Amino acid sequence: MKPPPFRHVAPRTVDEAVTALAEADGHGKVLAGGQSLVPLLNMRLAAPSVLVDVNGVTGLDGIEVTDDAVVVGATVRHRDLERHAAADAALPVLRQALVHVAHPVIRNRGTVVGSLVHADPAAELPAVLVLLGGHVDVVSRDDRRSIDAEALFVAPLESSLRPDELAVSATFPRLAATTATAVRELARRHGDYAMAGVCVAVDRDDERATVTGARAVFIGVTDTPTLVDLGEDLAGQGCHDLDTVAAVARARDAIDPTDDIHATADYRRHLAGVMLARALADAATGREDA
Amino acid sequence: MTTRLFGQGVPRKEDRRLLTGAGRFVDDLSHDAWEVAIVRSPHAHARIVDIDVTEALDVPDLVAIHTWEDLPERMQQPLPLLIPHPALTAPRTQFVLANGEVNHVGEAIVMVVARTRYAAEDAADRIRVDYEFLEPVVGIERAAAGDRRVHDELDDNVAAHLVQEIGDARAAIDAAPHTMSFRLDVERSASTPLETRGVYARWDADEGHLRLYSSTQAPTSVRAAVATILEMDFQDVECIAPDVGGGFGVKIMHPWPEEVLVPWAATVLGHDVKFTEDRREHFISANHERGQVQHLEVGFDDDGRILGIDFTFLHDHGAYIPYGLIVPIITSTQFLGPYRISDYRVEFRSLYTNTVPVTPYRGAGRPQAVFAMERLMDKVAAELGKDRTQVRAINLIQPDEFPWEFGLTFQDGRAYTYDSGDYPTSLDMLKDLVGWDDFARRQAEARDDGRLLGIGLAAYVEGTGVGPYEGGHVLVEPTGRVQVATGLSSQGQGHETVFAQIVADVLGVDLDDVEVVVGDSSRMQYAVGTFASRAAVMSGNAIALAANKVREKALRLASEALEVDPADLEFADGQVRVVGSPDTGLPLKMLATLSNPLRYAFDEDAAAATQFAAPADPDRPPVGDDDEPGLEGTDFYSPVRSTFASGMHAVVVEVDPDTSAVEILDYAVVHDCGNLINPTIVRGQVHGGVGQGVGGALYERMAYDEHGQLQNASFMDFLMPYMTEVPDGIAIDHLETPSPLNPLGIKGAGEAGVIPSAAVFAAAIEDAVGIPIDAMPISPSQLHHLRLAADAPASTNGQP
Ligand SMILES: Cc1cc2nc3c(=O)[nH]c(=O)nc-3n(C[C@H](O)[C@H](O)[C@H](O)COP(=O)(O)OP(=O)(O)OC[C@H]3O[C@@H](n4cnc5c(N)ncnc54)[C@H](O)[C@@H]3O)c2cc1C
């Protein structure tokens, strides 16, 4: 469990970083928090010849809360965002999701943007980005572009970034004040990747205490995070006595879990439905205990 | 008089070092050593056709590459069968490097030595091994079928077949008013200590001396094995187990291939060499345990009295069987637990499979045995509609019935005879502690709220402190400090503290003035090792005996010097002094100086000591025939047979009706390990054991696929419980029934915490969901499917 030889470069600016990536000619990898990449290197499942370590690049560590969105720089740690009061006030779903990401020691190092680019289907933040319809801004030596959430996640552990591109920030759009969110998941142990999970957004008419719309993105039971619209099943229902049967049935059809050593596909499908029902109730009633 | 330390929960002497990162583990010792990486088999069963190292040769910093063919003749032999047994008719052990065939994923094939582990792995990566695939034997049933064989030259996969019987089980079952039969399985797991295996060898060519550091539970045995295989005199080899970051059984295995390869490489290369196992290697090359398929047949009467049991099981010992039949023999005997069972037949087959070999893991066959017996008790209670504690109570051996002789033979080849215990009291204490009698109400109330609560209990008896012996050496330095040595090693249990407590009491010195060294073969070369909950019993008693020798000598010296009758002297505050007149006495350090007639006055104490020296008789030698210089003593403790600790656990769980997730609400332990040297340390051992037991019951398994690939060879997927999964309030009550077998009246405590967990969790989950739980461990996914299959009460909002 020692990595094969690689060259480590530590750029100070975005320009230097993307130049190093370009020069690596497809054999470079960005090193952010290292919580996913370093295990892959140690197990010799990845063997990049150059690691472009962006931890020292200036200007990427900001969390910006605007009227429209929360914008998170590439070196912002999970824990920074989790503890950011303004971000939490603007978009509670960020913290709701982040507390499920691994353990504090891993959140202290792992980055939000790294998690998105890594595109693990069991990760929480990709699901959140899709739920909110956010995007990631990427830069290469000769180009810069913005990739929408739906276009970002191509396959398990595969995002649409090119090897010479650096993601500089992620933008999580804010929701209407009448939209509530919740995240529910069940992992084997606290902090593990979930066997099944879900994040939901429920639009409410607070005066009448009814639901006007609802969306969900599942965690760990689809190849890539996919938005499931549940408005048809839930619109018009009372917030405090939701009947989620139709929504759960629709969702269970929409997902495609697989067997692994921790759980069968059938159990995951069942579990996803249970988590959805609970998350919808949380969001509809404004419960925050998930 | 100083307060007695025996029985006090004094803080652990080793904690400052271990908790501040100042511990010395093998890998901390050897920064300039060359490092070893091993090419391991990626296949479960294959013949090796060719090994091509060409591409590895130009890796920078490579030092050497060795295959089986490069080894000296003595090292080309299979490793020793440590514990032969007449029933073990087809033993096979592994080679240090594969000789033409590999029998499990992870088996060592090539040793690479390089200046760094990085370079060694780079070279190992480039070595090409060609294989001819053989069909793997994976799983107990496949092995039993015998259509595929692990070792070609054998007729089947059976290494051993053993039957033991007391009374006439068949007749007793046939005559019983009620009978039942069922199957109870336990899956494979492993010790998984935080510190993996490691060995570091220093070869002094000028002196012809080999010093070995190994992360082992048995340093003197490693030394003996290495000396024998390298054909060296024992005195030219020493082995030290420095701080060891957990063992839990896996490090009692010796010698590991690397424990032989590394010192050999150091001698041929003339350089320090070390091997630090990585986590993946640990999963696929360090031994496992637990996998058994168990069939039971029981006969009982209307009161739940057990009349006869027939117990047949298959034991999966993996690719090789270096440790003999210890684990299945323990299952066979310890199955009987605290119960008076007179008609009992047990039969097992120990089977080869193409998986990592099996040797004891904390509990060593007992968790499986307790799972079998305690589930049996629950089933009998269910069948008769009786309370589960009632059925147990009626079968318990009573306190006045000891020694209780079963008529079986235990793992040590000695009679399986319980020395002492008080099981009925233990059961009463447990019921109080967990609130057994009130639980039905609590369960019913919870059920009204849609919550599924369940309670389970399980009892065990644990043979601890097996022989043959352990030694202690106690020496008072002229500084007054007391040096204590014993040969077995410590893996963090707190040996330094408890042994110091014993010595401090005997010699009346401060705990801080006692320094304990464990696991250094140059300090105590005759020793056995740390396993079978034996350290406190064996080394504790040996050290007490040795300390008493020192005490006698100090008493004699003081009595002569002070001209006082020994009966009037006491040991306190580092002095031997006159009872009732504390100002008249001699410090131990002065007695240490006095004990050596060569008394150059190196310091003032020594000069002062001379005035107390008895007048020399010019016609007698300065050191008498029956005397030795120095204030020191060595003694050995060797018991006739094991002493039997016991205990009972109970757990209350809540099962989520929708997700089938299991949450632990309460956990209670009543534990009897005889006299307690240090209750805090015993509690810690129980806590750790319960934590490990939670892992074994609800999380950990070795997920081999049908090809013999271990699919979860990492801590990402082998689910060792975190702090968050272990109950934070474990209620513990101690019962102290002294052992009549040893001077200190103690019994072992190291393994107990883990033993009943599979049984107790299965019982509690069964109680919560109302369907039989006959195989462990169990995950939410498995429980979900069991409940679906049993058509259990529909969940509240899951719409399954
Ligand atoms: C024990 C454990 C448990 C975990 N549990 C969870 C969990 O429950 N949920 C969860 O979501 N995650 C979990 N993680 C993963 C963790 O969140 C990682 O931190 C995260 O997935 C990756 O972030 P990182 O900064 O560590 O990225 P790195 O490991 O540094 O990189 C990951 C990948 O992304 C690329 N990359 C990173 N940043 C950029 C960038 N700015 N531009 C371009 N490419 C980039 C890297 O090249 C690499 O391919 C766990 C990790 C561990 C070790």
Side-chain angles (χ1 to χ4, degrees), chain B residues 583-611:
Chain B
D583 293 339
T584 319
L586 288 174
L588 266 185
K589 62 177 183 175
M590 193 173 283
L591 293 169
T593 305
L594 262 181
S595 69
N596 182 356
L598 177 68
R599 218 169 295 119
Y600 294 132
F602 294 119
D603 59 14
E604 282 177 24
D605 280 339
T610 46
Q611 39 174 314

Side-chain angles (χ1 to χ4, degrees), chain B residues 109-185:
Chain B
I109 300 173
V110 184
M111 171 171 65
V112 178
V113 186
R115 281 170 210 281
T116 66
R117 170 84 184 196
Y118 291 83
E121 286 192 26
D122 290 345
D125 239 17
R126 297 191 189 187
I127 292 172
R128 296 282 154 262
V129 183
D130 286 339
Y131 300 92
E132 177 195 331
F133 302 117
L134 301 169
E135 286 187 315
V137 180
V138 183
I140 295 183
E141 265 129 353
R142 172 112 244 166
D147 56 331
R148 299 175 177 181
R149 276 160 296 140
V150 174
H151 298 288
D152 250 356
E153 70 285 4
L154 301 179
D155 295 335
D156 52 26
N157 293 307
V158 182
H161 175 211
L162 183 65
V163 180
Q164 290 203 69
E165 180 158 17
I166 50 176
D168 185 341
R170 184 77 270 139
I173 296 168
D174 287 346
H178 307 272
T179 62
M180 271 199 292
S181 51
F182 39 87
R183 173 179 162 170
L184 295 163
D185 294 359

Side-chain angles (χ1 to χ4, degrees), chain A residues 43-197:
Chain A
M43 302 219 217
R44 297 189 175 231
L45 296 172
S49 50
V50 182
L51 283 191
V52 179
D53 179 345
V54 297
N55 288 285
V57 172
T58 48
L60 295 181
D61 58 352
I63 300 173
E64 200 187 334
V65 180
T66 69
D67 289 345
D68 303 324
V70 175
V71 183
V72 180
T75 58
V76 171
R77 314 289 160 178
H78 295 309
R79 198 75 164 152
D80 298 332
L81 185 58
E82 178 191 342
R83 291 180 161 180
H84 199 279
D88 184 46
L91 257 180
V93 71
L94 293 173
R95 183 181 289 172
Q96 288 166 352
L98 280 162
V99 295
H100 292 289
V101 174
H103 323 101
V105 275
I106 291 162
R107 299 206 289 274
N108 282 340
R109 288 210 66 86
T111 62
V112 170
V113 172
S115 173
L116 296 171
V117 176
H118 190 60
D120 192 318
E124 287 77 5
L125 293 175
V128 171
L129 194 75
V130 170
L131 183 77
L132 302 176
H135 65 268
V136 167
D137 283 315
V138 306
V139 180
S140 62
R141 192 174 53 187
D142 310 315
D143 194 14
R144 88 178 18 247
R145 62 184 179 130
S146 177
I147 309 176
D148 286 345
E150 308 89 84
L152 181 62
F153 306 108
V154 178
L157 299 173
E158 192 184 333
S159 58
S160 54
L161 264 74
R162 296 191 314 258
D164 65 334
E165 282 177 323
L166 173 71
V168 289
S169 68
T171 299
F172 296 93
R174 294 175 66 164
L175 293 163
T178 49
T179 301
T181 55
V183 178
R184 281 270 188 167
E185 65 172 52
L186 186 68
R188 286 294 274 116
R189 299 169 299 184
H190 287 76
D192 283 351
Y193 284 109
M195 291 184 285

Side-chain angles (χ1 to χ4, degrees), chain A residues 1-5 42-44 103 186 188-193 195 244-245 248 252 261-264 266-267 270-271 273-275 277-278, chain B residues 117-118 121-122 125 278-280 656 658-659 698-699 703 711-712 715-720 722 724-725 779-781 784-785 797-800:
Chain A
M1 303 221 314
K2 300 282 187 221
N42 284 349
M43 302 219 217
R44 297 189 175 231
H103 323 101
L186 186 68
R188 286 294 274 116
R189 299 169 299 184
H190 287 76
D192 283 351
Y193 284 109
M195 291 184 285
T244 57
V245 174
V248 164
R252 283 182 176 149
I261 58 170
H262 303 303
T264 62
D266 285 349
Y267 174 68
H270 164 83
L271 189 60
V274 175
M275 292 297 118
R278 290 183 183 177
Chain B
R117 170 84 184 196
Y118 291 83
E121 286 192 26
D122 290 345
D125 239 17
D278 69 32
R279 185 57 60 186
R280 186 180 145 73
D656 184 316
D658 302 323
T659 66
L698 302 178
Y699 297 98
Q711 296 168 280
N712 59 343
F715 277 149
M716 276 300 262
D717 286 313
F718 178 87
L719 307 177
M720 180 185 280
Y722 302 126
T724 38
E725 278 64 48
S779 67
S781 177
H784 168 76
H785 287 290
N797 72 349
Q799 300 108 19

Side-chain angles (χ1 to χ4, degrees), chain B residues 3 157 194 208 325 359 453 549 711 732 796:
Chain B
T3 33
N157 293 307
L194 273 193
L325 303 180
T359 55
L453 264 55
K549 280 191 169 175
Q711 296 168 280
I732 301 182
T796 51

